[in-house]
Amino acid sequence: MHTPDRTAYPPELERAEAALIADRRKQGGSPDRLPPDTLGVALSGGGIRSATFCLGLFQSLSFARLLGRIDFLSTVSGGGYFGAFLGRLFTRDWIRNVDDVEHVLQATDPPDTPPGREGWGGHTFRWLRENGRYLAPRGSGDLVLFGALLFRNWVAVQVVMITTVLTACVGLQVARAYGESWLRSSGWTMVVSLLDRFPGPSPLILWSPWILLVVPLIPLVVVPGWTFWLVVRRTDGRRRGLSPAWGVVLMAAIGGAGMFHYKWSDPQPWRFGLSAAFLVLAVLVLACWRIGERLVASDGTPLETGERLRNALTSFFTNALMTAALIVAFAALDTVGGTIYAATRDLSSLTRWGASLLATFAGVGAFARPLFVFLTTRRGSERVGVPGSVVSWIAAVGIVTIWLVAIVVASHAVVRNFAPAATFPPPPAAAEGTTVSTAQELEVHRTSDGYVVAPAAPAATDLGTLHPFPAPSPFATGTLVVLLLLTLLFGHTLTFANMSSIHQYYAARLTQTFLGASNPERLASHNVGVSQNAQSDDCSGRSYWRWPSMAGNLWDSPATPLAKPWTRGGPLHIVNATVNETLDAKTKVQNQDRKGTGLAIGPCGLSLGVRHHLVQTVEDVTRAFPEQRSDGSVFRVFREDAMPPETLSLGHWMSISGAAFSTASGVNTTVPIALLAGMFNIRLGYWWNSGTPAAATSLWALFERVLPVQSALLAEWLGRTRGTAGRLWNLCDGGHFENMGGYELIRRRLPVIVIVDAEADPDYVFEGLSDLVRKARLDFGAEVTFLTDEQLASEVDLRDGTTVPVLPPGVRPYFGDLRALRRGRWMDEPVPTSDGSDKKRFTIEIKRSYASCAHAALATVKYGNGDRSWLLYVKATLMGEEPEDVCHYHRSHPDFPQETTLDQFFDEAQWESYRRLGQHIGHRVLTPELLDHLRM
């Protein structure tokens, strides 16, 4: 029996799951460990392609009567479509046991079907087949509906975000108006004139005076940056040359001498000010250095290295520099926005400018994808193009800049009461019949024929006169108050962040298609279409799993009585999602690699990453791991004293696990893509209330408390998700953390693990599998090693001293090493050897129209304590012996069975080809003989 890691798989979680397995096997008792013959199956991501392939493969298991042997089912994304369908089927009141489910998978009625339920098994199968286009089952009608939904949600998100940003911009403009009004009333008219004409009178540009705020930030940038070099590393008492402090003293002396010199000998203000600045900065640097060392020494920290002080100075320098950069950026936007508003002579011009801007956005949205494909370099293409990251950055910066400038223009319109910011003279009237004799000035031009005398061109007229910045008006102040109230109202409408995304539509269609397939209401009436809602399609997570609950909480309402899948012989279903985390919740450092953490929703609780669990134990008590220490030194995410986590339905968890494309996408998160997806509201993720308390107070945490909706949207737009640091976690496709679904099975160190890989992998590079192998080693200390052809043909020693083949003879022709799963043209080539002997090796040239040499591979998983598991890897491949309709589909669609996941609209031929291929491979690979053999 394998001994799981107690941190990754707490004993309480193992006991709880072992009890459920004993229940599903009808063995009784309360075992502490998982059975030694536990079998787990993982279904990979891949959208409707993976769901259909897995359906066919499980049909082969039902024909072989193997469905009851599966103890764990771990699903990701598209594999979760089928996994949720299977789990919901086990909970239906017209299903009694695993035999009934096997008959339904075979498209036949369960034995002893009561009257009125005839044909339900076949109808369930037909429902899945007829709704392969689950996103738009009615064709153009659903596409129009989807487009209207996208437009409605996009407008709503734009209203919320524009209102919020406009509130900030109008607030700054009103503050400027009140500030200048106070200066005028105080007699500082010269300062007001400077602000209105900064940096000087210009008829072309309305400069923003906000740039002047950078001036007081200069000491905040220079002083810590200069002080950093004064904190010298001292490892002993020996001198290390001159101290940098002497340089500061020298600069102070030069500044003081310059002040006296220029004051009495050459009194020029700019020279005096420059000398005074040197002196003041030098004094501030020395003061900052001495005060900083005293503060560090006050808490007993040794000064020999000065690391803490240098780190503090660097952090302060960075923050001041970033603040200055933000001020400069806003001043630039304000300058451009004010100039554009000054150039618009009336409200109609401003309206035309806004309409043209909307038309530009619409054009960009319509042709964005073909333009991106045309400009960028495609994999395998010899055409030279621009890197995709560069194109996405240019597009994101350009669109966001235009969006911000438009809002700044609107803020100028509000604060000026939509009155002109500049007076433009009328265009000069055309001179009629101007002759040389009546001209006031003449010009002589030399031509090839001699000299020509002509009237001189009229002098350029003034393009306009800028008006002073207006005094505060009741209209601007009232507009600011209304905007502020709307911002607060939008910010506390907590359902908006999820309701405004595509998640609701996506979840509804998935639920109606895969969970509704076994709904008695749909089975009994053929008039309820897939696009129509029906009761009992879905079920609550509390009814489907043993959901963690905290005694005494109002959220802990009793669940609706419903048979759990395992009580009827079904597997323990684990749904995998990803918590987007670009900023680590513990270290507050940017997460450059994974950018997300796996979240597993299982039958007995939640598992986050490697160490964090919330378990509903056998005693029906909620426990959080790791356990709390008395000194509080252990970092914990879950706590027993927190609010219970939000319980979502099975359909919602299925759709979250399949939220493949969104602003934040785990390891695939990039800032420009997040900005573009956010601007056009292409959001499929979900903000989940984890119930965990928020992290320590910070500026962003304060923003979250004041405006939680805007902070969530902005976090998605910027790709700056804080993971578990807040109460709301941004969840997305589990494949953005690990796409095979095998992570949770390796955590449990199951003796036999079956991984069904149906992700999009047209060139068979095994990206998802490689990621699983890497994470298994890093997180669980488990080494996954695939057997070679020679090892597959060898024999293995049993514990009783006998030897048996590694694989039963019946399945051996369908197994190979990982190379054998690739498709292409095999070639042999000589290998240079030191002894000059002839030796060859076989390589493969990838060709998508060719076939593979195997359907599956076998690996061993070795753990740190010496335990070992078998990992059976099944890949969607073609060996050329499949049914004729499947081979024909491959001939007409060379990418099959690895067509792009973007294709979620399967027609009948496509759907049946994937299903039949899964059934074909399952019959040949997942046999009772093989599973019995691997359990030895």
Side-chain angles (χ1 to χ4, degrees):
M1 177 59 196
H2 301 298
T3 304
D5 178 52
R6 301 293 90 182
T7 302
Y9 193 43
E12 285 79 0
L13 178 56
E14 184 177 11
R15 283 184 58 221
E17 293 182 343
L20 300 188
I21 291 178
D23 188 11
R24 70 170 297 274
R25 294 185 178 187
K26 310 302 180 185
Q27 294 175 344
S30 298
D32 293 333
R33 296 290 182 84
L34 298 179
D37 58 347
T38 305
L39 171 64
V41 177
L43 307 182
S44 78
I48 186 67
R49 176 189 61 253
S50 177
T52 310
F53 179 82
C54 292
L55 169 63
L57 189 139
F58 268 71
Q59 284 182 311
S60 70
L61 294 177
S62 68
F63 282 109
R65 306 299 300 274
L66 293 175
L67 188 58
R69 292 194 184 186
I70 302 175
D71 297 300
F72 283 94
L73 182 65
S74 177
T75 63
V76 179
S77 193
Y81 302 173
F82 172 77
F85 157 78
L86 182 67
R88 187 66 173 116
L89 180 61
F90 270 103
T91 66
R92 297 297 183 183
D93 58 2
W94 58 282
I95 297 296
R96 296 164 299 181
N97 50 44
V98 69
D99 293 336
D100 288 354
V101 173
E102 289 179 340
H103 278 84
V104 174
L105 290 178
Q106 298 168 24
T108 60
D109 289 338
D112 303 324
T113 300
R117 297 181 177 180
E118 297 88 351
W120 282 15
H123 184 65
T124 299
F125 177 79
R126 288 194 303 273
W127 179 274
L128 294 176
R129 184 189 67 212
E130 293 170 357
N131 294 296
R133 301 180 180 92
Y134 67 96
L135 287 178
R138 297 182 302 169
S140 58
D142 280 322
L143 291 177
V144 171
L145 174 65
F146 184 58
L149 182 148
L150 287 176
F151 178 74
R152 180 198 65 193
N153 291 359
W154 176 77
V155 170
V157 169
Q158 289 296 317
V159 168
V160 170
M161 296 304 291
I162 289 175
T163 301
T164 304
V165 179
L166 184 59
T167 301
C169 292
V170 171
L172 290 173
Q173 304 292 7
V174 170
R176 176 187 171 186
Y178 275 102
E180 291 193 9
S181 177
W182 178 81
L183 290 174
R184 288 192 189 96
S185 63
S186 301
W188 296 81
T189 55
M190 183 178 298
V191 177
V192 175
S193 177
L194 173 64
L195 294 176
D196 289 342
R197 292 294 183 266
F198 175 83
S202 172
L204 297 177
I205 299 178
L206 188 65
W207 293 98
S208 173
W210 290 106
I211 191 67
L212 297 176
L213 290 180
V214 176
V215 176
L217 286 177
I218 293 177
L220 300 180
V221 174
V222 174
V223 171
W226 197 348
T227 308
F228 175 87
W229 303 105
L230 271 64
V231 184
V232 182
R233 180 183 179 88
R234 297 186 295 272
T235 57
D236 51 38
R238 301 174 60 184
R239 295 178 61 86
R240 302 290 181 180
L242 290 175
S243 171
W246 285 107
V248 182
V249 174
L250 179 61
M251 293 301 297
I254 292 175
M259 288 177 60
F260 283 103
H261 172 72
Y262 295 123
K263 178 67 177 177
W264 305 109
S265 301
D266 188 9
Q268 295 191 23
W270 70 269
R271 295 183 179 181
F272 180 83
L274 184 62
S275 300
F278 272 117
L279 176 61
V280 171
L281 287 176
V283 172
L284 289 176
V285 168
L286 289 172
C288 179
W289 172 42
R290 300 307 302 171
I291 293 174
E293 288 198 342
R294 288 183 177 277
L295 289 176
V296 172
S298 64
D299 60 1
T301 304
L303 293 175
E304 280 73 20
T305 61
E307 291 294 337
R308 284 193 61 195
L309 182 55
R310 281 200 294 268
N311 291 339
L313 290 170
T314 301
S315 177
F316 194 92
F317 171 80
T318 303
N319 293 333
L321 196 62
M322 289 298 298
T323 303
L326 290 176
I327 292 175
V328 171
F330 176 76
L333 291 172
D334 191 44
T335 298
V336 175
T339 302
I340 291 176
Y341 183 75
T344 55
R345 303 192 176 200
D346 49 33
L347 185 60
S348 60
S349 301
L350 192 63
T351 304
R352 288 194 298 270
W353 182 81
S356 62
L357 186 63
L358 287 176
T360 302
F361 269 98
V364 170
F367 298 100
R369 187 175 184 274
L371 189 62
F372 181 82
V373 173
F374 174 75
L375 292 175
T376 57
T377 305
R378 286 177 289 179
R379 180 184 296 180
S381 175
E382 297 181 355
R383 181 177 63 86
V384 178
V386 183
S389 60
V390 175
V391 175
S392 59
W393 265 114
I394 293 175
V397 172
I399 290 176
V400 172
T401 300
I402 294 174
W403 185 77
L404 291 173
V405 167
I407 295 176
V408 174
V409 171
S411 70
H412 276 273
V414 169
V415 78
R416 293 180 181 274
N417 296 346
F418 293 92
T423 300
F424 289 82
E432 297 181 1
T434 302
T435 61
V436 173
S437 60
T438 59
Q440 295 182 355
E441 296 183 8
L442 300 178
E443 290 183 351
V444 180
H445 301 279
R446 183 175 182 177
T447 64
S448 57
D449 298 329
Y451 293 90
V452 175
V453 179
T461 58
D462 189 8
L463 295 180
T465 302
L466 294 176
H467 297 312
F469 200 79
S473 65
F475 173 77
T477 306
T479 301
L480 176 60
V481 172
V482 172
L483 289 174
L484 185 60
L485 292 176
L486 288 176
T487 299
L488 293 174
L489 176 64
F490 294 153
H492 288 273
T493 308
L494 298 180
T495 58
F496 181 83
N498 290 324
M499 293 295 293
S500 62
S501 70
I502 316 173
H503 173 81
Q504 300 298 325
Y505 178 87
Y506 181 61
R509 288 304 165 90
L510 282 177
T511 300
Q512 293 159 0
T513 300
F514 291 97
L515 303 189
S518 59
N519 187 356
E521 182 179 338
R522 296 184 184 275
L523 298 176
S525 174
H526 296 277
N527 297 324
V528 183
V530 69
S531 58
Q532 297 174 281
N533 294 322
Q535 292 183 352
S536 302
D537 277 348
D538 208 351
C539 66
S540 69
R542 196 179 299 279
S543 300
Y544 188 74
W545 292 293
R546 298 182 69 247
W547 192 256
S549 59
M550 286 70 171
N553 262 303
L554 297 178
W555 290 16
D556 290 337
S557 57
T560 304
L562 189 70
K564 310 291 187 186
W566 56 84
T567 61
R568 293 175 176 172
L572 276 61
H573 187 195
I574 302 173
V575 176
N576 295 276
T578 299
V579 180
N580 288 303
E581 188 177 42
T582 56
L583 293 177
D584 188 87
K586 180 180 179 181
T587 63
K588 308 299 185 294
V589 175
Q590 187 170 356
N591 191 346
Q592 295 280 7
D593 296 317
R594 297 187 179 184
K595 300 179 183 178
T597 305
L599 175 67
I601 300 91
C604 298
L606 310 173
S607 294
L608 176 73
V610 179
R611 304 173 59 246
H612 304 283
H613 311 270
L614 193 63
V615 180
Q616 194 73 5
T617 65
V618 176
E619 296 80 14
D620 205 25
V621 177
T622 299
R623 295 283 307 279
F625 299 92
E627 297 179 338
Q628 179 67 46
R629 291 183 181 176
S630 58
D631 59 357
S633 59
V634 177
F635 175 74
R636 307 173 75 213
V637 173
F638 298 112
R639 299 179 185 177
E640 296 91 342
D641 57 351
M643 292 291 291
E646 179 184 1
T647 171
L648 299 175
S649 67
L650 175 62
H652 274 91
W653 282 119
M654 170 183 62
S655 59
I656 290 172
S657 178
F661 186 79
S662 190
T663 47
S665 304
V667 69
N668 300 316
T669 302
T670 62
V671 175
I673 297 299
L675 280 171
L676 292 173
M679 288 297 299
F680 292 100
N681 202 37
I682 308 300
R683 300 164 45 238
L684 205 55
Y686 186 86
W687 286 96
W688 180 60
N689 190 341
S690 65
T692 58
T697 304
S698 64
L699 186 60
W700 187 270
L702 178 62
F703 181 41
E704 284 182 339
R705 286 194 292 271
V706 176
L707 298 175
V709 172
Q710 288 90 333
S711 67
L713 294 175
L714 188 60
E716 289 193 67
W717 286 24
L718 298 178
R720 185 184 173 86
T721 50
R722 300 198 303 148
T724 60
R727 186 180 296 274
L728 296 179
W729 298 359
N730 186 254
L731 307 182
C732 69
D733 194 314
H736 295 317
F737 176 76
E738 193 274 303
N739 201 36
M740 294 292 101
Y743 188 86
E744 291 300 314
L745 303 184
I746 293 177
R747 176 200 299 276
R748 290 160 172 80
R749 300 191 179 186
L750 302 187
V752 180
I753 299 172
V754 178
I755 292 181
V756 181
D757 181 3
E759 71 173 359
D761 188 14
D763 294 328
Y764 290 81
V765 297
F766 308 107
E767 181 178 1
L769 177 64
S770 302
D771 185 60
L772 171 62
V773 171
R774 185 183 306 111
K775 284 186 169 66
R777 181 189 305 120
L778 295 175
D779 295 353
F780 303 128
E783 191 66 42
V784 181
T785 305
F786 279 87
L787 276 62
T788 64
D789 280 327
E790 293 79 7
Q791 292 172 325
L792 291 172
S794 63
E795 294 185 341
V796 63
D797 295 330
L798 300 180
R799 295 179 180 178
D800 58 4
T802 60
T803 60
V804 296
V806 173
L807 290 172
V811 301
R812 177 65 185 88
Y814 306 106
F815 277 79
D817 58 16
L818 289 180
R819 291 187 309 163
L821 298 176
R822 308 179 76 186
R823 55 183 177 178
R825 185 163 60 97
W826 287 88
M827 300 175 294
D828 58 344
E829 58 181 353
V831 178
T833 58
S834 57
D835 57 2
S837 60
D838 294 334
K839 189 176 181 180
K840 293 184 177 181
R841 66 181 173 189
F842 292 91
T843 58
I844 186 171
E845 178 186 357
I846 299 298
K847 286 186 175 294
R848 298 184 180 182
S849 59
Y850 280 44
S852 302
C853 296
H855 289 312
L858 187 65
T860 60
V861 185
K862 295 182 179 179
Y863 306 96
N865 62 350
D867 287 341
R868 188 189 69 172
S869 300
W870 287 110
L871 190 150
L872 175 58
Y873 177 68
V874 182
K875 184 79 169 176
T877 59
L878 294 166
M879 293 181 65
E881 56 179 14
E882 292 73 21
E884 171 55 27
D885 62 319
V886 177
C887 294
H888 176 268
Y889 188 85
H890 175 234
R891 289 193 293 269
S892 57
H893 301 81
D895 284 343
F896 174 81
Q898 303 294 339
E899 292 170 294
T900 174
T901 309
L902 295 177
D903 182 8
Q904 293 292 295
F905 301 87
F906 273 26
D907 57 22
E908 183 178 88
Q910 190 176 15
W911 188 92
E912 177 61 16
S913 297
Y914 278 100
R915 184 205 65 81
R916 188 63 181 88
L917 177 63
Q919 186 180 29
H920 174 86
I921 294 176
H923 276 309
R924 283 151 181 78
V925 174
L926 298 179
T927 65
E929 294 78 15
L930 175 62
L931 296 182
D932 290 338
H933 188 81
L934 294 179
R935 288 182 177 183
M936 291 189 297

